[in-house]
Amino acid sequence: MKMIKNILMLVVVTIFAFSCKNEAKAEVKTVEHASEAVAQLDPNATYAKAEFTIEGMTCAMGCAATIEKKIAKMEGVKSSKVDFDKKLAMVEYDEAKVSPESLTKTVTSVADIYSVKDMKTVNAFSAGKETAKACEPGCEKSCCTAGLKEGGKMSCAADCKEACCAKKA
């Protein structure tokens, strides 16, 4: 009797093993995707540029990237860039739709550890850590006239090799 049970069990297992098809068919699933509407920028809008320091960031991918994306999603924001190394955020926004207060609120809403310091409106974003060299008074060289204006004084362009700028280097 035990022998018959073993043979019967072996037959059942064999039937299940060989009755399976080895063809793998891909299962097709249809998923509805809600596309986000791309915000159109108003060509007649007045855009301002703001730079500010963000305190409390601990990493480039988690903190800086998250804050940058959150600011970029705000209605009226044309561009946003958060530099983790300098702890600096640079945002270009429509003055009618976005205010410095709303930028601060957006950053602090990402996490309680972030705080905004030294917010200022600028004409152009700072390119880097280098500082401009002051030109000699009355200098009419093209590198000086193309340089940055700081406090009403002419300054040399960063790549200037003229003698009036080289003295100040």
Side-chain angles (χ1 to χ4, degrees):
M1 187 70 167
K2 194 173 185 179
M3 181 78 139
I4 294 176
K5 284 184 182 179
N6 286 340
I7 293 173
L8 186 58
M9 188 62 95
L10 183 62
V11 170
V12 170
V13 170
T14 307
I15 290 173
F16 280 121
F18 289 109
S19 68
C20 294
K21 295 180 181 177
N22 290 334
E23 294 178 29
K25 291 185 179 179
E27 185 177 334
V28 178
K29 290 185 179 181
T30 304
V31 179
E32 289 185 37
H33 178 65
S35 62
E36 293 181 26
V38 177
Q40 296 294 325
L41 296 175
D42 185 6
N44 299 324
T46 304
Y47 289 96
K49 295 178 182 180
E51 283 187 349
F52 51 92
T53 304
I54 301 174
E55 297 292 329
M57 292 191 295
T58 57
C59 60
M61 292 307 294
C63 300
T66 303
I67 293 170
E68 184 176 318
K69 288 177 187 175
K70 190 80 165 183
I71 293 172
K73 287 183 180 179
M74 292 176 65
E75 184 180 347
V77 172
K78 185 175 181 181
S79 67
S80 71
K81 173 79 174 119
V82 176
D83 188 340
F84 172 72
D85 296 328
K86 297 176 190 173
K87 297 182 179 182
L88 182 68
M90 298 165 278
V91 182
E92 188 171 3
Y93 60 93
D94 181 354
E95 291 178 321
K97 295 180 180 178
V98 180
S99 67
E101 293 79 23
S102 65
L103 290 171
T104 302
K105 184 178 178 183
T106 300
V107 171
T108 55
S109 71
V110 175
D112 293 335
I113 60 171
Y114 305 133
S115 62
V116 174
K117 306 266 191 242
D118 306 323
M119 180 162 307
K120 59 186 175 218
T121 304
V122 294
N123 293 330
F125 294 129
S126 58
K129 293 182 179 180
E130 69 273 348
T131 56
K133 303 171 280 192
C135 292
E136 289 182 357
C139 182
E140 296 295 324
K141 304 270 186 192
S142 64
C143 66
C144 294
T145 56
L148 304 171
K149 304 264 184 185
E150 289 186 4
K153 297 180 182 176
M154 284 295 238
S155 61
C156 301
D159 59 346
C160 182
K161 303 281 189 235
E162 296 291 333
C164 63
C165 295
K167 293 178 189 175
K168 308 291 182 184

